[in-house]
Amino acid sequence: MNNGDNHEKPEFASIELRSLKVISALGRGAKGVVFLVQTKGGELLALKAISRALIEKNKPGRNSDCCEYRRICLERDVLSSFKHPLLPKLKGVVSTDKIVGYAIDYCPGGDLNSLREKQTEKMFSDDTIRFYAAELVLALEHLHRSGIVYRDLKPENVMIQENGHIMLIDFDLSTKLSPKTPETRQMETANPPKLSSEHAALKSKKTNRFSRLSKCCNSGISPDDSIYSARLAPDSASLEFNSVEKSNSFVGTEEYLAPEIILGKGHDFSVDWWCLGVVLYEMLYGTTPFRGSNRKETYYRILSKAPDLVGEATSLRDLIKKLLEKDPKQRISVDEIKGHDFFKSVDWDFIVDLPRPPFIPVPSDEKVSIIEGNNEIDVELFVQGLFKVEEEEDELCKNNGDENNNSGAWVEGIIYSSKVDNLLVF
């Protein structure tokens, strides 16, 4: 196993686009489209394709921010590092003159949001929530121990694998920080301890860290500056991990943003636990807790309103309340989450091997046979056409002063809820 001092270059298997049968478009993001593809050997994969023109436009030296460029590089690199049953594996990298992309495992069960929508009352039972929540905790814990802040946890990014277990996807808004030894915070008692002893350190453990990744690979993307860069915040108080780094990036999905991201005071791993609280609330009530009539009102509610936890007092509602603590220093930590009453019956070592999760999707072959008659899609033309139209619309909005936007400035890095051509926007 590699340790933190090993600087070997990562290997990226190359996949020829022409060797893939493109079956359908599954969804789209800010800069790319995800397709269901099939290899010559019959394996189903999800291919995320990004316009090379958009990447080239944001190369270092041409744009001082070049955030999209670094995000793509980071997503590719972290995918190649994953070896966890709840995280995707990089199957290969696709590179042509017009697109770059990467293929990961296909999840036939769709996403957690579509599964919730199929429920009778569009919400899950406590037992179902417990299963998915436990797997999310394990996935986030693994990411954090690897120095990755996910920053975009939402039901649309939680896929259901063929075996019914979850898989987190879409890491283009993630960032890398440098975690130190994980530490546990003492729970509040009737006689609270002094601030100097508020955090009790666990025994030092050797943690897995990502090796320094190479600056170039066969995908045709070669960042000139480190993907590990993160600006230091003035306040470097430790949260779940005793990290000296914080990020000041204003990124995420509008209704899931943590207060510290909106305030711009720097954030770290704790933002993911806030997002988990929003997701649990949504699974329980069928809606997010702070949604307003426009962006300004949503941000106001996130910063000032307590979540409306209607119903009898339960361990689930208590957990949600602790996750949606607005002060990240007081927000519940991973060890406290795993020890919470809501997870009292969970065997953390067994959960990922559970043979019968709440939902098992239909076999993949059945789904492919349903759409096998469709005409094959030209990936390059599809991606180029979609984002060329959007670039023109964005330019038109800028020229018109975006007069019709009554909810505040459009902020780079924030994902706004919308649907385009019946494709899922993640």
Side-chain angles (χ1 to χ4, degrees):
M1 182 179 292
N2 293 338
N3 57 33
D5 298 323
N6 191 326
H7 302 299
E8 291 181 3
K9 294 180 180 180
E11 295 292 330
F12 300 101
S14 180
I15 298 177
E16 292 291 330
L17 182 59
R18 62 175 175 269
S19 72
L20 301 172
K21 178 180 180 180
V22 184
I23 298 171
S24 66
L26 296 174
R28 53 144 301 183
K31 302 296 177 184
V33 181
V34 179
F35 298 91
L36 173 61
V37 300
Q38 190 173 37
T39 66
K40 289 182 177 179
E43 183 181 13
L44 291 176
L45 300 174
L47 172 68
K48 183 172 183 176
I50 304 120
S51 169
R52 185 179 284 277
L54 291 175
I55 301 170
E56 294 293 329
K57 192 168 71 173
N58 289 287
K59 263 195 171 183
R62 298 188 185 185
N63 184 305
S64 59
D65 186 17
C66 59
C67 55
E68 288 89 7
Y69 185 82
R70 283 202 297 266
R71 286 176 194 160
I72 292 166
C73 294
L74 176 60
E75 184 169 20
R76 174 207 61 196
D77 291 341
V78 298
L79 285 173
S80 70
S81 304
F82 289 152
K83 292 181 180 179
H84 192 279
L86 305 179
L87 297 172
K89 297 177 181 64
L90 182 65
K91 297 292 187 176
V93 175
V94 172
S95 178
T96 73
D97 291 339
K98 297 177 181 178
I99 65 156
V100 294
Y102 32 81
I104 62 172
D105 303 284
Y106 168 62
C107 295
D111 63 66
L112 201 57
N113 187 60
S114 62
L115 181 59
R116 180 186 61 78
E117 291 283 349
K118 294 174 184 175
Q119 307 307 302
T120 305
E121 296 182 356
K122 299 188 183 302
M123 55 190 72
F124 292 119
S125 68
D126 283 15
D127 286 338
T128 299
I129 293 173
R130 183 178 291 105
F131 172 78
Y132 291 128
E135 294 209 324
L136 287 170
V137 170
L138 290 178
L140 291 173
E141 182 183 36
H142 181 83
L143 291 177
H144 293 180
R145 289 184 184 276
S146 301
I148 299 169
V149 190
Y150 185 41
R151 303 200 298 187
D152 201 21
L153 180 61
K154 56 186 177 181
E156 290 84 354
N157 283 346
V158 182
M159 307 301 293
I160 309 298
Q161 300 182 58
E162 192 170 15
N163 60 10
H165 293 271
I166 69 162
M167 178 185 290
L168 282 187
I169 63 164
D170 203 13
F171 292 83
D172 61 350
L173 293 186
S174 300
T175 193
K176 289 275 290 184
L177 297 180
S178 300
K180 292 184 179 179
T181 306
E183 53 178 48
T184 293
R185 291 174 295 184
Q186 296 177 352
M187 298 293 289
E188 290 185 5
T189 62
N191 299 309
K194 295 180 180 180
L195 290 176
S196 59
S197 59
E198 189 176 331
H199 296 79
L202 296 174
K203 290 183 180 180
S204 180
K205 296 180 181 178
K206 190 174 183 179
T207 58
N208 293 329
R209 294 188 182 183
F210 279 87
S211 303
R212 287 281 180 178
L213 299 171
S214 61
K215 290 189 176 181
C216 57
C217 74
N218 57 13
S219 70
I221 308 175
S222 52
D224 295 329
D225 54 348
S226 172
I227 62 173
Y228 292 81
S229 62
R231 291 174 289 175
L232 298 182
D235 178 10
S236 58
S238 60
L239 296 172
E240 177 197 7
F241 284 81
N242 186 21
S243 172
V244 297
E245 283 186 301
K246 286 190 179 183
S247 172
N248 286 323
S249 301
F250 196 72
V251 299
T253 301
E254 187 174 341
E255 294 172 42
Y256 300 83
L257 286 177
E260 57 266 35
I261 291 182
I262 297 173
L263 292 173
K265 294 183 177 180
H267 60 269
D268 57 14
F269 304 99
S270 187
V271 298
D272 287 339
W273 302 126
W274 170 277
C275 291
L276 178 63
V278 178
V279 170
L280 296 191
Y281 186 101
E282 189 171 5
M283 286 197 282
L284 179 62
Y285 292 106
T287 184
T288 54
F290 304 110
R291 184 173 188 175
S293 59
N294 55 46
R295 192 181 321 141
K296 183 177 179 180
E297 185 181 350
T298 297
Y299 290 172
Y300 170 76
R301 289 175 176 270
I302 291 172
L303 292 174
S304 62
K305 298 292 185 181
D308 190 9
L309 295 165
V310 177
E312 62 179 313
T314 63
S315 58
L316 174 55
R317 290 184 175 89
D318 181 73
L319 176 61
I320 293 172
K321 181 180 178 181
K322 287 179 166 64
L323 288 165
L324 295 179
E325 163 60 52
K326 299 188 189 300
D327 182 355
K329 296 177 184 177
Q330 300 301 320
R331 196 170 300 148
I332 192 170
S333 68
V334 65
D335 290 322
E336 294 168 342
I337 293 169
K338 293 173 78 172
H340 193 275
D341 281 348
F342 182 63
F343 294 119
K344 185 168 51 179
S345 61
V346 171
D347 184 337
W348 293 100
D349 295 325
F350 175 73
I351 190 74
V352 296
D353 297 318
L354 192 70
R356 293 291 300 175
F359 168 71
I360 305 289
V362 297
S364 301
D365 290 343
E366 185 178 330
K367 288 209 168 188
V368 174
S369 65
I370 294 172
I371 52 180
E372 208 161 35
N374 289 0
N375 293 327
E376 197 161 324
I377 298 169
D378 186 316
V379 171
E380 293 177 322
L381 288 178
F382 191 103
V383 173
Q384 281 188 307
L386 181 62
F387 289 103
K388 183 179 180 181
V389 169
E390 292 201 348
E391 276 192 307
E392 291 172 353
E393 289 177 349
D394 288 345
E395 190 62 33
L396 183 62
C397 283
K398 289 178 182 177
N399 292 338
N400 292 337
D402 204 9
E403 293 173 0
N404 295 325
N405 185 357
N406 62 0
S407 55
W410 187 275
V411 182
E412 181 65 30
I414 294 294
I415 297 178
Y416 302 94
S417 300
S418 62
K419 297 278 183 181
V420 178
D421 296 336
N422 297 320
L423 291 182
L424 175 66
V425 181
F426 50 82

